């Protein structure tokens, strides 16, 4: 139309199909335990760390020891590891969003898992915490084929469970223990609260019982009793 080759846009009235979002079904604690048990020992620390911090796969793969503060029990997230397209190399790149650049609190269980992992396997190139058996950086494709999918099957987890479900597991724990939308948004590095709600709103407890309890707590006090 801009080049005046056609008088009107034939697609103008076309309605795109509505995108349906698959509702997140988080892993249970038991399922996570089965998954960890089914993994090679070298990869167990990676799974426990990711489930306990909610990092994205590239952020976890790109974790270096200098980003860990064991005294403050935090981990700095300011980059991710990505394979160079069309080659065998890799590089550090910024996280998915600017909101992803943050310092994430590290629970004791996660810190203990990291300590045990480092004591057993050391670090790889550039201080990478999680590497393959040769000490090389982890690659998404080979990790999925040789590590994740075999472990998922051995653990008896449903088809379609991916590494990203560890992030959903982390979010579900925060929600279950009463964290607000803003806190969950911040911990996950979401660009907006609406992104958090679009993904996890169904996991927040129903407010009906809270409403009833709030009113009952006031209205049943002695001065209000009949």
């Amino acid at each position: 139309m801009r080049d005046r080759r056609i008088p009107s846009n034939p697609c103008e009235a076309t309605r795109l199909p509505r995108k349906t979002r698959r509702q997140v079904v988080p892993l249970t604690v038991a399922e996570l335990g089965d998954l960890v048990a089914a993994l090679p020992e070298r990869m167990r620390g990676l799974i426990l760390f990711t489930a306990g911090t909610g990092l994205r796969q590239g952020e976890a793969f790109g974790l270096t020891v200098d980003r860990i503060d064991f005294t403050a029990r935090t981990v700095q997230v300011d980059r991710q590891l990505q394979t160079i397209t069309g080659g065998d190399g890799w590089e550090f790149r910024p996280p998915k969003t600017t909101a992803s650049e943050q310092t994430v609190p590290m629970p004791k269980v996660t810190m203990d898992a990291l300590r045990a992992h480092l004591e057993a396997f050391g670090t790889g190139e550039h201080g990478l915490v999680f590497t393959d058996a040769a000490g090389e950086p982890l690659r998404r494709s080979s990790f999925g084929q040789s590590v994740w999918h075999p472990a998922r099957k051995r653990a008896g987890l449903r088809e379609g469970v991916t590494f990203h479900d560890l992030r959903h597991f982390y979010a579900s724990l925060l929600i279950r223990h009463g964290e607000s939308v803003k806190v969950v948004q911040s911990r996950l590095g979401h660009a907006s609260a609406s992104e958090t709600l679009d993904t996890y709103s169904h996991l927040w407890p129903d407010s009906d019982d809270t409403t009833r309890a709030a009113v009952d707590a006031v209205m049943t006090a002695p001065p209000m009793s009949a």
Side-chain angles (χ1 to χ4, degrees):
M1 287 179 63
R2 282 193 295 266
D3 293 339
R4 300 184 183 279
R5 293 179 179 272
I6 56 175
S8 61
N9 181 2
C11 301
E12 186 173 359
T14 301
R15 290 188 177 182
L16 296 176
R18 293 185 63 181
K19 183 178 180 180
T20 56
R21 183 185 292 269
R22 181 176 66 89
Q23 193 171 81
V24 169
V25 180
L27 294 172
T28 65
V29 175
E31 287 175 330
L32 178 65
D34 291 342
L35 177 63
V36 171
L39 284 160
E41 187 177 356
R42 189 183 190 93
M43 297 300 164
R44 292 175 182 175
L46 168 64
I47 302 308
L48 289 171
F49 168 78
T50 307
T53 58
L55 268 61
R56 297 180 175 90
Q57 187 172 19
E59 296 165 352
F61 282 10
L63 177 68
T64 50
V65 71
D66 62 320
R67 263 53 179 184
I68 304 169
D69 188 333
F70 284 106
T71 302
R73 294 201 302 173
T74 59
V75 57
Q76 182 182 354
V77 181
D78 59 358
R79 59 188 182 180
Q80 61 177 318
L81 185 146
Q82 287 192 358
T83 303
I84 297 175
T85 304
D88 295 328
W90 61 274
E91 62 184 356
F92 290 119
R93 293 181 181 174
K96 182 179 179 181
T97 67
T98 54
S100 300
E101 297 187 23
Q102 59 175 322
T103 300
V104 177
M106 195 163 46
K108 183 179 183 301
V109 64
T110 304
M111 187 172 65
D112 291 345
L114 272 183
R115 286 188 188 277
H117 175 85
L118 289 170
E119 289 174 3
F121 305 105
T123 60
E125 187 178 358
H126 295 286
L128 285 170
V129 175
F130 303 114
T131 60
D132 63 17
E136 295 293 321
L138 296 173
R139 301 175 186 276
R140 291 173 184 261
S141 58
S142 57
F143 176 85
Q145 294 171 4
S146 63
V147 178
W148 182 267
H149 293 304
R152 179 191 61 76
K153 292 178 181 178
R154 286 194 296 270
L157 301 185
R158 62 186 181 275
E159 191 76 27
V161 171
T162 68
F163 193 93
H164 199 75
D165 280 282
L166 300 175
R167 186 168 163 84
H168 295 325
F169 173 84
Y170 174 74
S172 71
L173 289 187
L174 298 185
I175 294 168
R176 187 186 311 167
H177 287 273
E179 294 288 16
S180 68
V181 175
K182 291 299 292 182
V183 169
V184 177
Q185 173 199 346
S186 174
R187 296 288 182 261
L188 294 176
H190 283 165
S192 67
S194 62
E195 180 182 357
T196 307
L197 285 170
D198 286 346
T199 307
Y200 300 113
S201 61
H202 63 288
L203 297 181
W204 261 278
D206 193 294
S207 61
D208 288 355
D209 287 339
T210 305
T211 300
R212 295 186 187 101
V215 176
D216 284 341
V218 175
M219 300 296 287
T220 57
M224 297 292 293
S225 300

